[in-house]
Amino acid sequence: MPNFFRTPFDKALTVAPLEKIHEPERTIGSVILPSSGRAALLRGLRGNCPRCGEARLFRRFLKPIPSCPQCGQDWSHQQADDFPAYASIFLTGHLMAPLIIALIKNANLSVPILMAITMPMAILLMIGLLQPAKGAIIALQWWLGMHGFDKERPLVTPIQASS
């Protein structure tokens, strides 16, 4: 007798054991690829190659290396453009707003003193967030296979892991 309460999607919605849901790291040659997009983003945030995690991603402050000396990944495909600056400004605004509100509300500072405190902090924070933001954006582009990058992530899905 058919079960009319089951759908083709029931198998996809079943919860697999936690150790099987996490994607295993995949090795290509001597390179250990990140196990998830989060791991690739963290490598990029640290300024390391998102693919191997060992070599530096930047040769200068915002200039990425043409190719990784460890894994040979070509980074000339990346197109971060202005997005790191937008992300840096967005994060700086969200981090500085509570501080500025607290200073105005509780400290009774004059406007010149308030500006002398907050402007250098905001500028340093924006500049400090630029390189991690660019590294994360390059890592995201690589992970998603955008702009000519190959998708090299492990191909294990929760559906396959539960089988």
Side-chain angles (χ1 to χ4, degrees), residues 7-163:
T7 67
F9 302 107
D10 286 341
K11 185 176 181 180
L13 296 176
T14 57
V15 178
L18 287 177
E19 65 272 1
K20 290 186 178 180
I21 289 177
H22 298 292
E23 297 172 347
E25 291 182 337
R26 186 171 124 196
T27 305
I28 295 178
S30 63
V31 177
I32 298 175
L33 295 177
S35 60
S36 66
R38 181 178 291 155
L41 282 174
L42 287 175
R43 288 178 178 182
L45 275 171
R46 287 188 219 115
N48 294 334
C49 172
R51 186 171 186 250
C52 67
E54 296 178 20
R56 300 292 303 158
L57 183 59
F58 298 99
R59 66 177 165 185
R60 291 193 307 238
F61 182 65
L62 290 176
K63 184 75 173 170
I65 55 176
S67 65
C68 179
Q70 289 294 118
C71 64
Q73 174 65 44
D74 180 18
W75 294 113
S76 63
H77 299 295
Q78 66 84 22
Q79 295 179 8
D81 298 331
D82 292 337
F83 191 51
Y86 295 137
S88 176
I89 291 168
F90 181 78
L91 289 172
T92 299
H94 281 77
L95 293 173
M96 290 295 295
L99 175 68
I100 293 170
I101 292 169
L103 284 174
I104 290 172
K105 187 175 180 181
N106 300 329
N108 291 335
L109 298 173
S110 67
V111 173
I113 293 175
L114 186 65
M115 296 296 285
I117 293 171
T118 58
M119 289 303 287
M121 288 176 61
I123 291 169
L124 288 174
L125 192 57
M126 276 190 281
I127 292 172
L129 289 172
L130 270 175
Q131 189 180 39
K134 186 163 185 170
I137 290 163
I138 292 171
L140 183 66
Q141 289 176 0
W142 171 76
W143 182 257
L144 296 175
M146 297 169 65
H147 308 298
F149 288 119
D150 293 330
K151 283 188 181 181
E152 296 180 301
R153 59 180 121 169
L155 301 175
V156 175
T157 61
I159 297 170
Q160 293 172 341
S162 64
S163 301

